Amino acid sequence: MAMRPGTEQRLLDAAEELFFTRGIAATPIDVVLDRAGISSATLYRGYASKEALVAAALDRRHDDWLATWDRAVEAAPDDRGRLLAVFDALDDYRSTAAGSRWCAFLGTAAEYADAPAEVHEVLDRETGALRTRLTERAAPVVGERAGALADQLLLVVSGYLAMRLRDPSVGTATARAIAAALVAAA
């Protein structure tokens, strides 16, 4: 028997809130179940393990992030703006409850020295999507140097997200300026 959509929504909401604010290892699965108001039997109808639940919560967050980024790209006036729209998307996502602290993907990667397969897969998918999207947006701006620029921008984005953990008030202004300089130099 599959999990009901409303039940799954509550479970993913609880998992996301607890895992990505308190930490995955620091959050026992029973605490997630209590917050969601479901039994362990219900959990295991939908997810084979705690790690599978972590992966599902990350997948859902990734979908939300990509939708936010897509809206920022659509609002950009030109190719350069579409490339740098990742920073507009970061600002927009930061204003949501899910994005208010820092990057759940970096946090998850930091928690696992050797991530379980399902978690490793979603982390790779997220990094790959960032790299691919940045490369696609960079191509009209810098041509064949798009891949190299995308890797540089990926580092800037990741650095910005890590800085938010150190100082939650940090904005995208510095990262945006570095990115603009990289685009101009490319």
Side-chain angles (χ1 to χ4, degrees):
M1 174 187 286
M3 192 179 298
R4 291 184 179 133
T7 302
E8 185 171 29
Q9 178 76 28
R10 285 195 328 271
L11 178 58
L12 289 172
D13 288 348
E16 189 168 341
E17 175 190 348
L18 295 167
F19 290 154
F20 306 143
T21 58
R22 295 182 181 183
I24 298 163
T27 305
I29 197 65
D30 291 343
V31 173
V32 176
L33 297 176
D34 286 346
R35 177 70 54 94
I38 67 169
S39 69
S40 59
T42 301
L43 165 71
Y44 293 114
R45 275 200 303 262
Y47 301 99
S49 64
K50 179 180 180 180
E51 289 75 22
L53 180 60
V54 169
L58 286 169
D59 269 333
R60 185 176 76 161
R61 184 175 275 233
H62 189 233
D63 290 343
D64 291 345
W65 158 245
L66 292 179
T68 301
W69 192 359
D70 287 343
R71 286 189 298 276
V73 167
E74 289 171 13
D78 56 24
D79 289 336
R80 184 177 183 280
R82 285 185 280 283
L83 173 59
L84 297 176
V86 66
F87 297 103
D88 297 323
L90 288 166
D91 288 338
D92 289 347
Y93 197 75
R94 181 181 186 163
S95 69
T96 68
S100 62
R101 186 158 185 257
W102 81 305
C103 180
F105 297 92
L106 290 176
T108 300
E111 282 211 45
Y112 290 104
D114 185 22
E118 58 267 61
V119 173
H120 183 55
E121 183 180 309
V122 74
L123 292 173
D124 281 353
R125 188 168 43 253
E126 187 266 346
T127 302
L130 276 169
R131 182 174 282 116
T132 298
R133 283 170 164 247
L134 288 168
T135 301
E136 290 170 354
R137 303 289 181 278
V141 179
V142 298
E144 64 188 36
R145 294 181 307 276
L149 178 58
D151 284 343
Q152 292 170 337
L153 294 176
L154 181 58
L155 185 60
V156 172
V157 167
S158 296
Y160 159 73
L161 291 168
M163 278 305 299
R164 281 196 37 213
L165 183 60
R166 291 173 180 257
D167 180 359
S169 69
V170 72
T172 58
T174 300
R176 193 183 297 261
I178 292 168
L182 290 170
V183 170

